[in-house]
Amino acid sequence: MTTTTTAPVAVADPAPAGAWNTPDPDRVDLGSVRVVHTRHWFRWSLSAILLFAIAQFAWSLFTNENYEWDVFAAYFFSEPVLIGIGYTLALTAVSASIGFILGTVLALGRLSKSVLLNSISWAYIWFFRSVPLVVQIIVWYNLGYLYPTLGLGTPFTTDFWIVEFPTVQLISAFAAAILGLGLHQAAYSAEIIRGGLISVDQGQQEAAAALGIPARKRLFRIILPQAMRSIIPNATNEVIGLVKGASVVFVIAIPELFYAVQVIYNRNSRVIPLLLVAVVWYTLITTILSVLQYYIERHYARGSVRTLPPTPFQRFRRWSGAQWARLGDDSSAKAPPTGRGIPPLSLTPDAGIDANEETR
């Protein structure tokens, strides 16, 4: 005959009579608690000081007659200034294109296993980063003193029997500025691009090679798109630097923005308002480039983040919604309970019994 043994089961002692109806003294009625936000005294104090300084500066802009805003308005859209802006943008666009295309070739040369390509790329970057930009522009502009004529002909001779040009005609002032800015920019762009390429995990290239993807497709379809997240911020800095760096071409009398402003204030002696014209135009160009940088970065962030970073409009809408919600919280905290929302946790005898009955 089989005997079944049952393990003893621990049974809790029954609660004493009236325990369910006794309110817990440690319990707090959340309906009567007011939410107090953290006070950031240092942050608010510093913000107040900065706002005061900004307000003081803004007040001086309208009360200081030395700014001569009427002169500023008269020359802001003047023809010489607009022509100068055109030259500035043209120099920036052409030089940046040359710089980043040549910089990509130099960066690939630096990463090449060929000792010759690696050495030539390194020597180019070393030289053009060593010589100041203004010196390069002046040398290109005066290249005719070194080589009066340029052309094609018998190697290692000056017998240009195929084609020959006078250097002064071949390299104009604008061409000298493009050569100086573009070749100078290529040296810096090469290091920016090389840094972006080596920032990509080596396993990406190994996996692509294991799949039999050709080297060119590996570079342009896999490695470079991932490297763009590291390249874009520094590349934009370089383009913005080119916009302002193009002002050095005034040494060869190219009428870009700064040169045009200089010519005007040398004639009418209105130095400050004309310089403000240049400052505002440079600021507008830089702002546009900064906005473009943000959206380009957001485009290349698609493969690395689950949610794209919000746009400025989305941030403003989220912030305004949060502030509106805080105002609602403050008003609801001050107003008496209306019976909606979370009920208070204070236990009445009947409510306690019903609650515990449901939990059973």
Side-chain angles (χ1 to χ4, degrees), residues 179-198:
L179 287 172
L181 291 170
L183 298 180
H184 179 81
Q185 182 59 46
Y188 290 90
S189 301
E191 289 300 280
I192 292 173
I193 296 170
R194 185 177 70 90
L197 292 175
I198 63 178

mmCIF file with all atom_site columns, all heavy atoms in Angstrom, residues 179-198:
data_model
loop_
_atom_site.group_PDB
_atom_site.id
_atom_site.type_symbol
_atom_site.label_atom_id
_atom_site.label_alt_id
_atom_site.label_comp_id
_atom_site.label_asym_id
_atom_site.label_entity_id
_atom_site.label_seq_id
_atom_site.pdbx_PDB_ins_code
_atom_site.Cartn_x
_atom_site.Cartn_y
_atom_site.Cartn_z
_atom_site.occupancy
_atom_site.B_iso_or_equiv
_atom_site.pdbx_formal_charge
_atom_site.auth_seq_id
_atom_site.auth_comp_id
_atom_site.auth_asym_id
_atom_site.auth_atom_id
_atom_site.pdbx_PDB_model_num
ATOM 1   N N   . LEU A 1 179 ? 44.260 79.098 -57.262 1.00 0.00 ? 179 LEU A N   1
ATOM 2   C CA  . LEU A 1 179 ? 45.352 78.151 -57.033 1.00 0.00 ? 179 LEU A CA  1
ATOM 3   C C   . LEU A 1 179 ? 45.818 78.199 -55.583 1.00 0.00 ? 179 LEU A C   1
ATOM 4   O O   . LEU A 1 179 ? 46.021 77.155 -54.943 1.00 0.00 ? 179 LEU A O   1
ATOM 5   C CB  . LEU A 1 179 ? 46.512 78.455 -57.975 1.00 0.00 ? 179 LEU A CB  1
ATOM 6   C CG  . LEU A 1 179 ? 46.310 78.078 -59.444 1.00 0.00 ? 179 LEU A CG  1
ATOM 7   C CD1 . LEU A 1 179 ? 47.460 78.619 -60.304 1.00 0.00 ? 179 LEU A CD1 1
ATOM 8   C CD2 . LEU A 1 179 ? 46.209 76.565 -59.597 1.00 0.00 ? 179 LEU A CD2 1
ATOM 9   N N   . GLY A 1 180 ? 45.999 79.407 -55.074 1.00 0.00 ? 180 GLY A N   1
ATOM 10  C CA  . GLY A 1 180 ? 46.458 79.518 -53.694 1.00 0.00 ? 180 GLY A CA  1
ATOM 11  C C   . GLY A 1 180 ? 45.465 78.947 -52.701 1.00 0.00 ? 180 GLY A C   1
ATOM 12  O O   . GLY A 1 180 ? 45.828 78.146 -51.826 1.00 0.00 ? 180 GLY A O   1
ATOM 13  N N   . LEU A 1 181 ? 44.185 79.321 -52.828 1.00 0.00 ? 181 LEU A N   1
ATOM 14  C CA  . LEU A 1 181 ? 43.164 78.845 -51.891 1.00 0.00 ? 181 LEU A CA  1
ATOM 15  C C   . LEU A 1 181 ? 42.897 77.348 -52.057 1.00 0.00 ? 181 LEU A C   1
ATOM 16  O O   . LEU A 1 181 ? 42.801 76.614 -51.071 1.00 0.00 ? 181 LEU A O   1
ATOM 17  C CB  . LEU A 1 181 ? 41.861 79.629 -52.097 1.00 0.00 ? 181 LEU A CB  1
ATOM 18  C CG  . LEU A 1 181 ? 41.880 81.106 -51.695 1.00 0.00 ? 181 LEU A CG  1
ATOM 19  C CD1 . LEU A 1 181 ? 40.618 81.795 -52.176 1.00 0.00 ? 181 LEU A CD1 1
ATOM 20  C CD2 . LEU A 1 181 ? 42.017 81.250 -50.189 1.00 0.00 ? 181 LEU A CD2 1
ATOM 21  N N   . GLY A 1 182 ? 42.794 76.879 -53.317 1.00 0.00 ? 182 GLY A N   1
ATOM 22  C CA  . GLY A 1 182 ? 42.462 75.477 -53.556 1.00 0.00 ? 182 GLY A CA  1
ATOM 23  C C   . GLY A 1 182 ? 43.556 74.518 -53.129 1.00 0.00 ? 182 GLY A C   1
ATOM 24  O O   . GLY A 1 182 ? 43.294 73.518 -52.449 1.00 0.00 ? 182 GLY A O   1
ATOM 25  N N   . LEU A 1 183 ? 44.799 74.814 -53.509 1.00 0.00 ? 183 LEU A N   1
ATOM 26  C CA  . LEU A 1 183 ? 45.904 73.923 -53.145 1.00 0.00 ? 183 LEU A CA  1
ATOM 27  C C   . LEU A 1 183 ? 46.181 73.964 -51.650 1.00 0.00 ? 183 LEU A C   1
ATOM 28  O O   . LEU A 1 183 ? 46.545 72.948 -51.043 1.00 0.00 ? 183 LEU A O   1
ATOM 29  C CB  . LEU A 1 183 ? 47.164 74.312 -53.931 1.00 0.00 ? 183 LEU A CB  1
ATOM 30  C CG  . LEU A 1 183 ? 47.048 74.184 -55.461 1.00 0.00 ? 183 LEU A CG  1
ATOM 31  C CD1 . LEU A 1 183 ? 48.349 74.596 -56.124 1.00 0.00 ? 183 LEU A CD1 1
ATOM 32  C CD2 . LEU A 1 183 ? 46.662 72.766 -55.862 1.00 0.00 ? 183 LEU A CD2 1
ATOM 33  N N   . HIS A 1 184 ? 46.011 75.123 -51.046 1.00 0.00 ? 184 HIS A N   1
ATOM 34  C CA  . HIS A 1 184 ? 46.170 75.230 -49.594 1.00 0.00 ? 184 HIS A CA  1
ATOM 35  C C   . HIS A 1 184 ? 45.079 74.439 -48.871 1.00 0.00 ? 184 HIS A C   1
ATOM 36  O O   . HIS A 1 184 ? 45.359 73.720 -47.904 1.00 0.00 ? 184 HIS A O   1
ATOM 37  C CB  . HIS A 1 184 ? 46.118 76.708 -49.192 1.00 0.00 ? 184 HIS A CB  1
ATOM 38  C CG  . HIS A 1 184 ? 46.242 76.941 -47.727 1.00 0.00 ? 184 HIS A CG  1
ATOM 39  N ND1 . HIS A 1 184 ? 47.451 76.953 -47.070 1.00 0.00 ? 184 HIS A ND1 1
ATOM 40  C CD2 . HIS A 1 184 ? 45.291 77.181 -46.776 1.00 0.00 ? 184 HIS A CD2 1
ATOM 41  C CE1 . HIS A 1 184 ? 47.261 77.196 -45.787 1.00 0.00 ? 184 HIS A CE1 1
ATOM 42  N NE2 . HIS A 1 184 ? 45.961 77.334 -45.587 1.00 0.00 ? 184 HIS A NE2 1
ATOM 43  N N   . GLN A 1 185 ? 43.843 74.539 -49.364 1.00 0.00 ? 185 GLN A N   1
ATOM 44  C CA  . GLN A 1 185 ? 42.736 73.830 -48.733 1.00 0.00 ? 185 GLN A CA  1
ATOM 45  C C   . GLN A 1 185 ? 42.871 72.326 -48.893 1.00 0.00 ? 185 GLN A C   1
ATOM 46  O O   . GLN A 1 185 ? 42.465 71.561 -48.008 1.00 0.00 ? 185 GLN A O   1
ATOM 47  C CB  . GLN A 1 185 ? 41.415 74.305 -49.342 1.00 0.00 ? 185 GLN A CB  1
ATOM 48  C CG  . GLN A 1 185 ? 40.178 73.679 -48.734 1.00 0.00 ? 185 GLN A CG  1
ATOM 49  C CD  . GLN A 1 185 ? 40.071 73.935 -47.257 1.00 0.00 ? 185 GLN A CD  1
ATOM 50  O OE1 . GLN A 1 185 ? 40.257 75.056 -46.803 1.00 0.00 ? 185 GLN A OE1 1
ATOM 51  N NE2 . GLN A 1 185 ? 39.778 72.902 -46.492 1.00 0.00 ? 185 GLN A NE2 1
ATOM 52  N N   . ALA A 1 186 ? 43.442 71.870 -49.999 1.00 0.00 ? 186 ALA A N   1
ATOM 53  C CA  . ALA A 1 186 ? 43.582 70.429 -50.235 1.00 0.00 ? 186 ALA A CA  1
ATOM 54  C C   . ALA A 1 186 ? 44.423 69.763 -49.157 1.00 0.00 ? 186 ALA A C   1
ATOM 55  O O   . ALA A 1 186 ? 44.151 68.622 -48.768 1.00 0.00 ? 186 ALA A O   1
ATOM 56  C CB  . ALA A 1 186 ? 44.194 70.190 -51.611 1.00 0.00 ? 186 ALA A CB  1
ATOM 57  N N   . ALA A 1 187 ? 45.448 70.458 -48.673 1.00 0.00 ? 187 ALA A N   1
ATOM 58  C CA  . ALA A 1 187 ? 46.306 69.862 -47.644 1.00 0.00 ? 187 ALA A CA  1
ATOM 59  C C   . ALA A 1 187 ? 45.524 69.610 -46.360 1.00 0.00 ? 187 ALA A C   1
ATOM 60  O O   . ALA A 1 187 ? 45.676 68.560 -45.716 1.00 0.00 ? 187 ALA A O   1
ATOM 61  C CB  . ALA A 1 187 ? 47.497 70.782 -47.376 1.00 0.00 ? 187 ALA A CB  1
ATOM 62  N N   . TYR A 1 188 ? 44.664 70.557 -45.967 1.00 0.00 ? 188 TYR A N   1
ATOM 63  C CA  . TYR A 1 188 ? 43.878 70.378 -44.746 1.00 0.00 ? 188 TYR A CA  1
ATOM 64  C C   . TYR A 1 188 ? 42.723 69.407 -44.965 1.00 0.00 ? 188 TYR A C   1
ATOM 65  O O   . TYR A 1 188 ? 42.396 68.611 -44.078 1.00 0.00 ? 188 TYR A O   1
ATOM 66  C CB  . TYR A 1 188 ? 43.343 71.737 -44.287 1.00 0.00 ? 188 TYR A CB  1
ATOM 67  C CG  . TYR A 1 188 ? 44.422 72.652 -43.753 1.00 0.00 ? 188 TYR A CG  1
ATOM 68  C CD1 . TYR A 1 188 ? 45.109 73.515 -44.598 1.00 0.00 ? 188 TYR A CD1 1
ATOM 69  C CD2 . TYR A 1 188 ? 44.772 72.625 -42.413 1.00 0.00 ? 188 TYR A CD2 1
ATOM 70  C CE1 . TYR A 1 188 ? 46.110 74.342 -44.117 1.00 0.00 ? 188 TYR A CE1 1
ATOM 71  C CE2 . TYR A 1 188 ? 45.766 73.448 -41.922 1.00 0.00 ? 188 TYR A CE2 1
ATOM 72  C CZ  . TYR A 1 188 ? 46.429 74.306 -42.776 1.00 0.00 ? 188 TYR A CZ  1
ATOM 73  O OH  . TYR A 1 188 ? 47.431 75.116 -42.303 1.00 0.00 ? 188 TYR A OH  1
ATOM 74  N N   . SER A 1 189 ? 42.116 69.464 -46.136 1.00 0.00 ? 189 SER A N   1
ATOM 75  C CA  . SER A 1 189 ? 41.018 68.541 -46.419 1.00 0.00 ? 189 SER A CA  1
ATOM 76  C C   . SER A 1 189 ? 41.491 67.091 -46.434 1.00 0.00 ? 189 SER A C   1
ATOM 77  O O   . SER A 1 189 ? 40.751 66.185 -46.036 1.00 0.00 ? 189 SER A O   1
ATOM 78  C CB  . SER A 1 189 ? 40.381 68.886 -47.776 1.00 0.00 ? 189 SER A CB  1
ATOM 79  O OG  . SER A 1 189 ? 39.895 70.207 -47.777 1.00 0.00 ? 189 SER A OG  1
ATOM 80  N N   . ALA A 1 190 ? 42.710 66.863 -46.897 1.00 0.00 ? 190 ALA A N   1
ATOM 81  C CA  . ALA A 1 190 ? 43.239 65.496 -46.946 1.00 0.00 ? 190 ALA A CA  1
ATOM 82  C C   . ALA A 1 190 ? 43.290 64.874 -45.561 1.00 0.00 ? 190 ALA A C   1
ATOM 83  O O   . ALA A 1 190 ? 42.904 63.711 -45.367 1.00 0.00 ? 190 ALA A O   1
ATOM 84  C CB  . ALA A 1 190 ? 44.627 65.502 -47.588 1.00 0.00 ? 190 ALA A CB  1
ATOM 85  N N   . GLU A 1 191 ? 43.732 65.640 -44.586 1.00 0.00 ? 191 GLU A N   1
ATOM 86  C CA  . GLU A 1 191 ? 43.819 65.103 -43.225 1.00 0.00 ? 191 GLU A CA  1
ATOM 87  C C   . GLU A 1 191 ? 42.445 64.927 -42.610 1.00 0.00 ? 191 GLU A C   1
ATOM 88  O O   . GLU A 1 191 ? 42.212 63.992 -41.842 1.00 0.00 ? 191 GLU A O   1
ATOM 89  C CB  . GLU A 1 191 ? 44.667 66.042 -42.359 1.00 0.00 ? 191 GLU A CB  1
ATOM 90  C CG  . GLU A 1 191 ? 46.141 66.024 -42.716 1.00 0.00 ? 191 GLU A CG  1
ATOM 91  C CD  . GLU A 1 191 ? 46.744 64.641 -42.551 1.00 0.00 ? 191 GLU A CD  1
ATOM 92  O OE1 . GLU A 1 191 ? 47.056 64.263 -41.406 1.00 0.00 ? 191 GLU A OE1 1
ATOM 93  O OE2 . GLU A 1 191 ? 46.881 63.921 -43.561 1.00 0.00 ? 191 GLU A OE2 1
ATOM 94  N N   . ILE A 1 192 ? 41.497 65.802 -42.941 1.00 0.00 ? 192 ILE A N   1
ATOM 95  C CA  . ILE A 1 192 ? 40.134 65.643 -42.441 1.00 0.00 ? 192 ILE A CA  1
ATOM 96  C C   . ILE A 1 192 ? 39.502 64.376 -43.000 1.00 0.00 ? 192 ILE A C   1
ATOM 97  O O   . ILE A 1 192 ? 38.893 63.583 -42.266 1.00 0.00 ? 192 ILE A O   1
ATOM 98  C CB  . ILE A 1 192 ? 39.294 66.880 -42.810 1.00 0.00 ? 192 ILE A CB  1
ATOM 99  C CG1 . ILE A 1 192 ? 39.790 68.103 -42.044 1.00 0.00 ? 192 ILE A CG1 1
ATOM 100 C CG2 . ILE A 1 192 ? 37.815 66.636 -42.530 1.00 0.00 ? 192 ILE A CG2 1
ATOM 101 C CD1 . ILE A 1 192 ? 39.125 69.389 -42.465 1.00 0.00 ? 192 ILE A CD1 1
ATOM 102 N N   . ILE A 1 193 ? 39.661 64.154 -44.298 1.00 0.00 ? 193 ILE A N   1
ATOM 103 C CA  . ILE A 1 193 ? 39.081 62.972 -44.925 1.00 0.00 ? 193 ILE A CA  1
ATOM 104 C C   . ILE A 1 193 ? 39.779 61.706 -44.450 1.00 0.00 ? 193 ILE A C   1
ATOM 105 O O   . ILE A 1 193 ? 39.132 60.685 -44.186 1.00 0.00 ? 193 ILE A O   1
ATOM 106 C CB  . ILE A 1 193 ? 39.155 63.107 -46.456 1.00 0.00 ? 193 ILE A CB  1
ATOM 107 C CG1 . ILE A 1 193 ? 38.284 64.287 -46.909 1.00 0.00 ? 193 ILE A CG1 1
ATOM 108 C CG2 . ILE A 1 193 ? 38.712 61.825 -47.148 1.00 0.00 ? 193 ILE A CG2 1
ATOM 109 C CD1 . ILE A 1 193 ? 38.458 64.660 -48.360 1.00 0.00 ? 193 ILE A CD1 1
ATOM 110 N N   . ARG A 1 194 ? 41.093 61.772 -44.326 1.00 0.00 ? 194 ARG A N   1
ATOM 111 C CA  . ARG A 1 194 ? 41.821 60.592 -43.832 1.00 0.00 ? 194 ARG A CA  1
ATOM 112 C C   . ARG A 1 194 ? 41.383 60.241 -42.405 1.00 0.00 ? 194 ARG A C   1
ATOM 113 O O   . ARG A 1 194 ? 41.190 59.063 -42.066 1.00 0.00 ? 194 ARG A O   1
ATOM 114 C CB  . ARG A 1 194 ? 43.327 60.851 -43.860 1.00 0.00 ? 194 ARG A CB  1
ATOM 115 C CG  . ARG A 1 194 ? 44.170 59.642 -43.476 1.00 0.00 ? 194 ARG A CG  1
ATOM 116 C CD  . ARG A 1 194 ? 45.646 59.963 -43.604 1.00 0.00 ? 194 ARG A CD  1
ATOM 117 N NE  . ARG A 1 194 ? 46.076 60.894 -42.577 1.00 0.00 ? 194 ARG A NE  1
ATOM 118 C CZ  . ARG A 1 194 ? 46.541 60.519 -41.383 1.00 0.00 ? 194 ARG A CZ  1
ATOM 119 N NH1 . ARG A 1 194 ? 46.635 59.228 -41.075 1.00 0.00 ? 194 ARG A NH1 1
ATOM 120 N NH2 . ARG A 1 194 ? 46.934 61.416 -40.508 1.00 0.00 ? 194 ARG A NH2 1
ATOM 121 N N   . GLY A 1 195 ? 41.189 61.262 -41.564 1.00 0.00 ? 195 GLY A N   1
ATOM 122 C CA  . GLY A 1 195 ? 40.718 60.996 -40.205 1.00 0.00 ? 195 GLY A CA  1
ATOM 123 C C   . GLY A 1 195 ? 39.338 60.364 -40.190 1.00 0.00 ? 195 GLY A C   1
ATOM 124 O O   . GLY A 1 195 ? 39.053 59.476 -39.379 1.00 0.00 ? 195 GLY A O   1
ATOM 125 N N   . GLY A 1 196 ? 38.459 60.811 -41.103 1.00 0.00 ? 196 GLY A N   1
ATOM 126 C CA  . GLY A 1 196 ? 37.144 60.200 -41.167 1.00 0.00 ? 196 GLY A CA  1
ATOM 127 C C   . GLY A 1 196 ? 37.184 58.764 -41.647 1.00 0.00 ? 196 GLY A C   1
ATOM 128 O O   . GLY A 1 196 ? 36.450 57.906 -41.143 1.00 0.00 ? 196 GLY A O   1
ATOM 129 N N   . LEU A 1 197 ? 38.051 58.480 -42.612 1.00 0.00 ? 197 LEU A N   1
ATOM 130 C CA  . LEU A 1 197 ? 38.136 57.115 -43.142 1.00 0.00 ? 197 LEU A CA  1
ATOM 131 C C   . LEU A 1 197 ? 38.677 56.137 -42.103 1.00 0.00 ? 197 LEU A C   1
ATOM 132 O O   . LEU A 1 197 ? 38.181 55.020 -41.984 1.00 0.00 ? 197 LEU A O   1
ATOM 133 C CB  . LEU A 1 197 ? 39.018 57.097 -44.394 1.00 0.00 ? 197 LEU A CB  1
ATOM 134 C CG  . LEU A 1 197 ? 38.452 57.813 -45.628 1.00 0.00 ? 197 LEU A CG  1
ATOM 135 C CD1 . LEU A 1 197 ? 39.469 57.823 -46.753 1.00 0.00 ? 197 LEU A CD1 1
ATOM 136 C CD2 . LEU A 1 197 ? 37.157 57.173 -46.084 1.00 0.00 ? 197 LEU A CD2 1
ATOM 137 N N   . ILE A 1 198 ? 39.690 56.548 -41.361 1.00 0.00 ? 198 ILE A N   1
ATOM 138 C CA  . ILE A 1 198 ? 40.257 55.621 -40.365 1.00 0.00 ? 198 ILE A CA  1
ATOM 139 C C   . ILE A 1 198 ? 39.381 55.520 -39.120 1.00 0.00 ? 198 ILE A C   1
ATOM 140 O O   . ILE A 1 198 ? 39.626 54.659 -38.264 1.00 0.00 ? 198 ILE A O   1
ATOM 141 C CB  . ILE A 1 198 ? 41.693 56.042 -39.976 1.00 0.00 ? 198 ILE A CB  1
ATOM 142 C CG1 . ILE A 1 198 ? 41.692 57.409 -39.303 1.00 0.00 ? 198 ILE A CG1 1
ATOM 143 C CG2 . ILE A 1 198 ? 42.604 56.030 -41.186 1.00 0.00 ? 198 ILE A CG2 1
ATOM 144 C CD1 . ILE A 1 198 ? 43.074 57.853 -38.842 1.00 0.00 ? 198 ILE A CD1 1
#
